[in-house]
Amino acid sequence: MVDVHQPLRDNVRLLGDSLGKTIEDHLGTAILDTIETIRRLAKQGRAGDSESRARLEELLTTLSDEQILPVTRSFNQFLNLANIAEEVHRVRRRKHDSNQLMDDDTLPQQLVRLHNHGISKDDIVKQILALDIELVLTAHPTEAVRRTLIQKYDGIAECLRALDNVGDDTADGQRLVDRLKELISQAWHTNEIRTRRPTPVDEAKWGFAIIENSLWKAMPRFLRQLDESVEIATGHRLPLSAAPIRFASWMGGDRDGNPFVTSAVTREVLLLARWQAADLFSKDISDLRAELSMGDCNATLRQAVGDDEQEPYRAYLRQLSRRIEATQRWARDELAGRPADDSDILRHNEELLQPLLECDRSLRECGMDIIAEGMLRDIIHRAYVFGIHLLRLDIRQNSERHAQVFEELVAYYGWGNYAEWSEPQKQAFLLRELKDRRPLFPRDWVPSEEVQEVLATCRTVAQTPASALSAYVISMASVPSDVLAVILLLKEAGMSWNIPVAPLFETLDDLDNAQSCMQQLLDMPWYKAYTQGQQMVMIGYSDSAKDAGHLAATWGQFKAQEALTALCSERGVHLTLFHGRGGTVGRGGGPSHTAILSQPPRSVNGSIRVTEQGEMIRFKFGIPEIAVRNLELYTGAVLEATLTPAPAPKMEWRKLMDDMTAVSCREYRAMVRDNPQFVPYFRAATPEQELAKLPLGSRPAKRKVDGGVESLRAIPWIFAWTQMRLMLPTWLGSDQALARIEAQQRLDELRDMASEWRFFSAYLDMLEMVMAKTDTNTAAWYDQRLVGADLQPLGAELRTRLRDMIALYKRIRGRDELLVQNPVIKHSIGVRNPYIDPLHLLQAELMRRVRLYGEKGVPNQIDQALMVTMTGIAAGMRNTG
Ligand code: PGA
């Protein structure tokens, strides 16, 4: 039998050997021998040989400060190389599967399934045209790999792919292997830790690079595939304007807890996007003009270029090229603060589209459809999807910051204390001012700097064209006045259109009250008119889980969406739910199509927004082939959830969920909030404090500088527990809730729920995936090295609870092992463990040394090595946090 994974193993060996050779060339044989010994001991230790494990522990705790950095780096780099090989293998397998027609989840098959379900072909097409999926790239600090390394890794992946075609025993193959070695050596000799934090503008550029390097190619390819699938399944073709998926961004717009995102930054990022779009289209149009040398054209083109013109398309597009270049010049001058000429720039997407569509028409009218279907079609798709703004920006700010504006204003006028006003009082005031034409802000008012910044941002928003913005998101929203406050601020700034203002409900209480909050708003005729029949609401996954535990948050999110869906449908308002999901399960992550299909019935009503963050952006959209697949998965899932919504959960399931979540939330909080030992344990056993040093993103790890765990953002919270493999936030509390059900002998009910209710089975699957990534031996090691004797019993208790939880889970599902249904992930975790183990041992050791050095100052190589373990473990777990 052919071993389908042999190419993966061959690649891993090739990469591993080259890395070894690089290290040997650089640092000599002795260090390579040490690394080899560690690798061997780790492997044997994993296989159950306790003596090897003991020797490994001994070896890694006695490495000198000098030795520790290269050892750490070698394991980190190896894991990154293994990821590349896996990624390449995934594409390879997909190609193989589609050649064999084994993949039953392709779009044509899905469309046929929908038709078999009784949906007419016309309805399928109509729904595809109405789809409005927006994937929102955020700058959330979870991408641990530097951009310069990502580029090298992309190069390595390209070599591996090319090697598949030529084989390494040919001259071309040898050249590829040499290039591969060179790239591995370059990576080794490059510092994997950023020396400074990226600025928000750097982050935005990183987002643009994903578009330039991958999505620019992937999007037209996806749209062609979609069109073909629709034609096969329904006999209809899609119009060129069909754009079911678009991208939006938070990079440079999200200022929640990030003081570095200022109004000036937002303005700069908007201009940079204009420049970038113009740059990409300028290349496209120049390539297109080179190709469109045809002489025949329709009357419109002929009239535009005159009778003497031999090459009408080239001539006709010359004007567009000029305007694109003018746009580029203008954006560049604006960015440089120079006088900028905007007389000839592209202001509306129509101005980009119209000449392209005219060429398309002319070519078709003259019998050159085949030419229209080529490069021109790709560019038209890009013009519809990306357009002159490249991607739309969201603004996000915390509700407290908006309230602060009114606190200062009301105090200035001597009207009292806004913070102490009741909610009805605030609403009445805000509504009155919204309806009033006279300006509210006095000219001589000098508010605090923080307030000035909020006002400046609102002015920037008001000056930006509507087509460049998507929404204004209010984090930590809870009451109607949070929403009215933003609309009033924007009005005062001179806003001329009704930007969607989306409250983000992100604590359990706020999710529970979301429906009531929106109901109050929609009951206000003024507000209802403002919405123009469209309401966006954002659901916060991570903070709710941090607040109430994973199970209770998951159910809270479900119920909130259900209630909001019912409310909006009753009020005749179209609801778009915006899911603030992170990459990891603890922050609402997981396969997107499963997530979409397990949403409450009718909540995915053709439109959806989802955040895409950090390393997940790279994993899902960094390579065109994989990006196309993910775009397809999103489209298929949203279509399916819209046209064949899941049945509503049974009453008894709801009751059971209510009971379980009450227990899990109580138990979770009893530990996290009420156990006085918990926070000291968290601080001692996990690298939470050390993480703040890792310059992953532009924003600080905490919302407030001096805050405790409550103000710690969800990302470092999850990140810290992931690093030491207890993964506590995902299961704590659920263990007690499920144990209670077992004690009541009601496990069969859970099993029914798991087999009949997608939402619940998705919850269990995610829980299982996370539990498979836990490792109590590793967690115990951190305790042993880092936790004081007084706190050790707490660690032991948590590990026992986790073990019990895993055993109980297996009983629920009637399985002997975790992940039997998912052999690919199981295999991947198994293969990685021996390489991650040394990093864990080293991390605990490094944390110990860092804490010992303390005030005396930590030697640079120790700090550096500690940061390398963090990124290495993140690479090994394929998730930062
Ligand atoms: P936030 O996001 O802290 O920006 O709300 C949390 C997350 O993505 O996990």
Side-chain angles (χ1 to χ4, degrees), residues 745-764:
Q745 303 193 320
R746 296 172 69 192
L747 285 191
D748 277 341
E749 290 173 47
L750 284 187
R751 293 187 188 112
D752 282 350
M753 273 161 68
S755 66
E756 289 176 44
W757 188 16
R758 231 170 172 156
F759 160 80
F760 193 65
S761 68
Y763 163 74
L764 287 181

Side-chain angles (χ1 to χ4, degrees), residues 630-801:
N630 279 307
L631 294 171
E632 208 179 84
L633 281 170
Y634 262 116
T635 310
V638 174
L639 201 59
E640 195 173 331
T642 304
L643 290 175
T644 54
K650 296 181 187 161
M651 273 324 277
E652 58 266 32
W653 297 347
R654 308 182 69 93
K655 173 82 182 60
L656 195 62
M657 285 306 289
D658 283 339
D659 293 349
M660 284 199 298
T661 51
V663 176
S664 74
C665 180
R666 193 175 61 235
E667 293 294 337
Y668 173 86
R669 287 182 177 163
M671 176 60 74
V672 174
R673 293 191 186 172
D674 304 335
N675 186 327
Q677 289 197 314
F678 180 77
V679 173
Y681 173 76
F682 170 60
R683 294 254 148 89
T686 76
E688 181 254 321
Q689 298 165 80
E690 290 80 6
L691 269 172
K693 289 189 196 167
L694 194 61
L696 285 190
S698 68
R699 77 179 195 187
K702 291 192 176 182
R703 280 197 156 102
K704 293 194 180 97
V705 192
D706 49 356
V709 172
E710 338 69 68
S711 77
L712 188 66
R713 300 201 77 129
I715 291 172
W717 165 248
I718 300 281
F719 195 162
W721 291 111
T722 305
Q723 291 277 308
M724 55 85 83
R725 303 287 284 274
L726 198 57
M727 316 286 203
L728 172 124
T730 317
W731 58 266
L732 186 72
S734 312
D735 60 328
Q736 307 279 1
L738 294 172
R740 170 92 49 116
I741 300 298
E742 184 175 46
Q744 294 168 349
Q745 303 193 320
R746 296 172 69 192
L747 285 191
D748 277 341
E749 290 173 47
L750 284 187
R751 293 187 188 112
D752 282 350
M753 273 161 68
S755 66
E756 289 176 44
W757 188 16
R758 231 170 172 156
F759 160 80
F760 193 65
S761 68
Y763 163 74
L764 287 181
D765 289 346
M766 291 307 106
L767 181 64
E768 177 169 351
M769 177 131 78
V770 173
M771 289 191 303
K773 287 187 174 182
T774 61
D775 186 345
T776 46
N777 290 337
T778 298
W781 174 257
Y782 280 74
D783 279 15
Q784 190 186 320
R785 303 295 290 169
L786 299 159
V787 173
D790 54 330
L791 298 174
Q792 295 233 0
L794 179 60
E797 179 196 330
L798 291 170
R799 289 193 297 280
T800 307
R801 281 178 64 172

Side-chain angles (χ1 to χ4, degrees), residues 140 250 254 256 396 504 506 542-543 580-582 587 613 699 703 713-715:
H140 279 52
W250 275 14
D254 171 21
D256 169 27
R396 182 172 75 144
L504 161 54
E506 51 183 334
S542 346
D543 273 280
R581 293 178 177 278
R587 299 193 294 115
Q613 316 190 342
R699 77 179 195 187
R703 280 197 156 102
R713 300 201 77 129
I715 291 172

